């Protein structure tokens, strides 16, 4: 005899599933782990950076206390406490903290890329004499005589395996020629001045 509650006779598997109004245990655990990792990321930052992050004072104190602890087990327990404090934050507060951390990561990536570009430019100057002419065309204020002497000395240092004094000086000169990026507060002032 065919059971009318089974198979193709009108039974749908979703009829008897329970509907939940709250997140699953797995989802809660993922969220807690993400907040714990965010707290650990803050602990890894220097103190002056932590002081600039918008967060409640009790959370900041827990993070700064954790930075002071050197004992492995004590630090582990304090990190757990930081995670607990992070879970007490509102979503908007967590989002603000995450934005600040993401901004720092982006800034450090762009700084690293700029340094690599300067290093490539320095290598080009050492390898090709035409590169100095191109640099002079881009930056008329550069002291060509000084730079030519530094390039000559850097090549000599490399050939004789001496400490790279001139090599570093070339990098500093190239670094000074780069435009300085505006800080976020300066950009905000520029935008308000235009209104």
């Amino acid at each position: 005899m065919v059971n009318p509650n089974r198979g193709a006779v009108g039974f749908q598997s979703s009829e008897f599933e329970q509907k939940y109004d709250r997140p699953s245990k797995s989802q809660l655990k993922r969220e807690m782990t993400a907040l714990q990792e965010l707290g650990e990321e803050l602990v890894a930052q220097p103190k002056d950076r932590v002081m600039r992050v918008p967060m409640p004072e009790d959370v900041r104190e827990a993070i700064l206390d954790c930075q002071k602890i050197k004992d492995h087990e004590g630090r582990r327990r304090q990190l757990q406490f930081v995670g607990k404090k992070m879970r007490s934050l509102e979503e908007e507060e967590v989002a603000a903290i995450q934005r600040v951390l993401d901004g720092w990561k982006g800034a450090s990536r762009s700084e690293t890329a700029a340094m690599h570009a300067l290093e490539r430019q320095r290598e080009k100057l050492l390898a090709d004499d035409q590169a100095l002419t191109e640099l002079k065309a881009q930056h008329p204020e550069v002291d060509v005589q000084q730079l030519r002497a530094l390039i000559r000395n850097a090549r000599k240092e490399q050939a004789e395996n001496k400490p790279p004094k001139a090599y570093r000086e070339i990098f500093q000169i190239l670094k000074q020629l780069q435009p300085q990026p505006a800080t976020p507060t300066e950009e905000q002032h520029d935008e308000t001045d235009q209104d």
Side-chain angles (χ1 to χ4, degrees), residues 39-51 53 55 59-71 74-75 78-79 82 104:
E40 290 174 12
E41 201 172 334
L42 284 167
V43 168
Q45 298 296 326
K47 180 181 177 182
D48 62 323
R49 276 191 165 180
V50 173
M51 297 303 286
V53 177
M55 68 176 89
V59 177
R60 186 184 328 274
E61 285 176 21
I63 291 168
L64 295 175
D65 287 345
C66 189
Q67 290 177 338
K68 295 175 191 173
I69 297 173
K70 301 296 178 210
D71 178 58
R75 187 173 178 88
Q78 186 65 22
L79 277 171
V82 168
W104 289 339

Side-chain angles (χ1 to χ4, degrees), residues 2-168:
V2 177
N3 186 343
N5 292 329
R6 293 187 165 252
V9 189
F11 173 75
Q12 294 182 1
S13 62
S14 62
E15 285 181 36
F16 299 106
E17 288 181 2
Q18 293 181 349
K19 305 290 183 199
Y20 291 105
D21 294 335
R22 56 187 165 81
S24 67
K25 283 185 179 181
S26 300
Q27 180 62 31
L28 290 174
K29 180 144 177 108
R30 281 191 295 271
E31 290 171 4
M32 287 179 8
T33 303
L35 289 171
Q36 180 76 36
E37 289 170 358
L38 185 65
E40 290 174 12
E41 201 172 334
L42 284 167
V43 168
Q45 298 296 326
K47 180 181 177 182
D48 62 323
R49 276 191 165 180
V50 173
M51 297 303 286
R52 292 183 292 190
V53 177
M55 68 176 89
E57 198 57 39
D58 60 331
V59 177
R60 186 184 328 274
E61 285 176 21
I63 291 168
L64 295 175
D65 287 345
C66 189
Q67 290 177 338
K68 295 175 191 173
I69 297 173
K70 301 296 178 210
D71 178 58
H72 177 72
E73 182 61 21
R75 187 173 178 88
R76 185 193 66 77
R77 284 195 315 267
Q78 186 65 22
L79 277 171
Q80 293 295 319
F81 181 67
V82 168
K84 180 179 178 183
K85 288 290 190 183
M86 294 298 291
R87 289 190 295 273
S88 72
L89 297 176
E90 299 293 325
E91 284 183 37
E92 300 83 33
E93 294 172 317
V94 173
I97 292 170
Q98 189 64 56
R99 277 194 303 274
V100 170
L101 288 174
D102 291 344
W104 289 339
K105 288 177 191 172
S108 71
R109 277 192 212 113
S110 63
E111 289 170 4
T112 303
M115 291 298 166
H116 287 303
L118 290 176
E119 289 170 356
R120 285 191 301 272
Q121 189 175 14
R122 174 177 58 188
E123 293 303 322
K124 188 176 177 183
L125 283 170
L126 292 175
D128 183 15
D129 291 332
Q130 184 62 32
L132 183 59
T133 308
E134 293 170 8
L135 182 68
K136 174 69 175 162
Q138 292 172 352
H139 301 281
E141 73 276 7
V142 71
D143 184 357
V144 177
Q145 293 299 91
Q146 178 193 16
L147 206 49
R148 190 171 286 133
L150 286 172
I151 291 170
R152 189 172 43 248
N153 289 342
R155 289 174 180 162
K156 191 175 179 183
E157 289 169 354
Q158 287 178 342
E160 298 175 2
N161 288 331
K162 289 188 173 182
K165 182 179 176 191
Y167 187 75
R168 290 183 183 134

